[in-house]
Amino acid sequence: MLIQLTYASRTSRVLGPADIKDILGASQRNNARAGITGALCLNNGIFLQQLEGDRAAVNALYHRLLKDTRHKDTAVLDFGEIPHRRFTSWSMGLLGSLDANRQLFLKYSSTPRFRPVQHEHLDAAQLL
């Protein structure tokens, strides 16, 4: 079963370009081994990430992310089965906060500035 999980979290500290490079490098190596694809965006101190893959692999990765000290206020925004991967060639890609990605940001935000609505989050414990 192929699933997609979308979550948001706040950064626990200011992250610079070197931090983002480290996150992407580690994600690409680890996700390739686990058969996970996806994309990451950092905008206004908020991570938005979509993960795709086998249910058990995505579940294990999400639970590791919950323990990552760079994240706080982590919440699942969307979860479900998907017929095919959206990010077929990305073990982890970086989406810029550009106008081209605006629709993705607005899907999970109640304002034009990316701010996921906290009370609408799904309970991850019930999903995974």
Side-chain angles (χ1 to χ4, degrees):
M1 172 190 326
L2 189 61
I3 61 108
Q4 183 180 76
L5 176 126
T6 305
Y7 78 90
S9 66
R10 297 189 186 286
T11 59
S12 60
R13 59 183 171 83
V14 176
L15 299 175
D19 295 311
I20 302 304
K21 184 179 177 181
D22 290 345
I23 290 168
L24 280 175
S27 296
Q28 289 166 346
R29 285 188 305 276
N30 296 333
N31 291 354
R33 283 193 297 264
I36 294 174
T37 54
L40 173 69
C41 177
L42 177 60
N43 188 335
N44 297 320
I46 298 173
F47 285 112
L48 173 67
Q49 187 169 30
Q50 283 191 329
L51 302 170
E52 307 166 326
D54 175 76
R55 182 183 187 102
V58 171
N59 182 23
L61 173 56
Y62 182 71
H63 285 279
R64 282 193 308 276
L65 291 168
L66 290 174
K67 296 175 185 175
D68 187 327
T69 59
R70 294 171 291 200
H71 297 274
K72 66 180 184 178
D73 304 327
T74 305
V76 173
L77 302 175
D78 197 12
F79 176 85
E81 289 183 42
I82 55 174
H84 53 83
R85 293 176 189 264
R86 181 175 180 189
F87 305 104
T88 55
S89 60
W90 286 2
S91 56
M92 184 51 58
L94 180 65
L95 293 177
S97 55
L98 307 170
D99 284 339
N101 298 317
R102 187 174 175 79
Q103 290 304 317
L104 177 62
F105 303 145
L106 292 178
K107 180 178 179 181
Y108 300 107
S109 182
S110 61
T111 67
R113 186 170 178 210
F114 182 64
R115 289 236 162 115
V117 180
Q118 296 296 322
H119 68 276
E120 291 182 5
H121 294 163
L122 304 171
D123 182 354
Q126 294 174 352
L127 298 173
L128 300 177

